[in-house]
Amino acid sequence: RFTETNLPNARCGSSAVMRVAPVGLFFSGDWERAFAVGAQTACLTHGDLTARLAAGALSLLIAQLSSGAALAPSLESMMQVVKRQKGSE
């Protein structure tokens, strides 16, 4: 199992975000979980923090929008969640 301390590699690429749309849809009622699971999904192939944060952020955004939230507040909320993550500075 890959975690923040046990990562497969240090890759940072776009394929980490390409597969998280279903995660956001599945967790549309639980935005925190959408972010967490989206970021964990990136760990399967991309260990770099940027890839993990991007995957979590897109998953969260999709969860928010699919539950009826408006785009502007969803983007603001997504950025706040990313900024709270360790190492996102």
Side-chain angles (χ1 to χ4, degrees):
R1 180 170 182 223
F2 298 120
T3 63
E4 286 185 24
T5 57
N6 180 29
L7 297 169
N9 56 56
R11 285 190 207 137
C12 179
S14 62
S15 62
V17 298
M18 291 190 313
R19 66 174 165 264
V20 297
V23 174
L25 292 172
F26 186 81
F27 292 106
S28 65
D30 187 349
W31 297 353
E32 288 183 30
R33 187 102 188 256
F35 180 86
V37 174
Q40 288 172 335
T41 300
C43 290
L44 294 171
T45 55
H46 293 74
D48 185 80
L49 178 62
T50 302
R52 293 181 314 201
L53 291 176
L58 182 60
S59 181
L60 170 59
L61 183 62
I62 290 170
Q64 292 172 324
L65 296 175
S66 67
S67 66
L71 180 59
S74 295
L75 288 169
E76 174 88 20
S77 169
M78 178 194 71
M79 291 306 299
Q80 292 302 318
V81 170
V82 170
K83 288 177 183 178
R84 287 195 308 261
Q85 304 306 306
K86 181 176 128 187
S88 68
E89 303 80 34

